[in-house]
Amino acid sequence: MFKNLRNQIVLSIVAISSVIILISFTSIFMIMSMTIRAREDIALRSRDTCIEEIIQERNSHVTRLGVTLLSVGVILELLIFAVSSIIAEQLVKPVQEAYEQQREFIANASHELKTPIAAIRANFEALDVEEEPWTDNIDLELDKAQNLVRDLLLLARMDGRVEKAPKKRCDLSEIVKKHVKAIEVRLDGKKLKTDIAEDVVATLVQDDFVQILSILLDNAAKYAKSWVSVELKNNYVKVENDGKEIPAAKMEHIFERFYQVDKTATGVGLGLSIAKSAADHNDWEIIADSNKKSTSFTLYFKR
């Protein structure tokens, strides 16, 4: 993430400087060319110099001017690139440090919260009380707290990964079929449509693929009105549902942490950000699309 940010800063600085240099050097070249031509006209009027000599001299001046400007331009670009790399590093460094501190805090806080939440649940389940609405509420809120802590820890671990996890040969067709079958019981009568190609095998990080797939299936089951569709092809898996259209303004934030399109929905808005983090770590891509008919998430993976 920070590497991409540094690259974007460098590219922006180099692009802006390149335009400025191009405009400046073009102006210099045109002005110098006009000056050379003016001298040529004076020489021609004086008739003291042969026309061939004047043309040769003009071509020589123009060539030297072009080579000089080109050489200076290349040297300037290299210097600008070097300086912009240093500037980008200095700009990103405090942001990266703050991000790392935030990640460590989330990981430590989440880890510390696991124990008291587990203790509360154990003691609550040990209580000999009749089921009441308020006991159901306690159980529900404990589930929310446990899920939040789990997601925060998972996100912190993903952010903290430096090296890529080991890859292995995976039968994605069987993996997708297995998880589609598991999600089917949660559809509450909604139609499930599948188009899963056979023998789709890839060498990748299976845990990350399964994590992303599970999140996309959970979202589809949660927001679908009447149907969910799962499609697996050679290099992508697509999960689609006929849920409410997501406005374009909200689609821009769909993968942000703690962002929720529907504020009344369960969860805290970490699922898609976890999926995006896992995809980025593997150099995969998730494309979200939404219209009046359906909303889909497509994961393009590298085989």
Side-chain angles (χ1 to χ4, degrees), residues 277-291:
S277 179
D280 289 345
H281 198 77
N282 289 276
D283 297 323
W284 300 339
E285 185 178 16
I286 298 181
I287 302 296
D289 182 62
S290 185
N291 53 55

Side-chain angles (χ1 to χ4, degrees), residues 263-285:
K263 304 300 182 182
T264 62
T266 57
V268 294
L270 282 176
L272 288 177
S273 62
I274 291 174
K276 184 69 166 58
S277 179
D280 289 345
H281 198 77
N282 289 276
D283 297 323
W284 300 339
E285 185 178 16

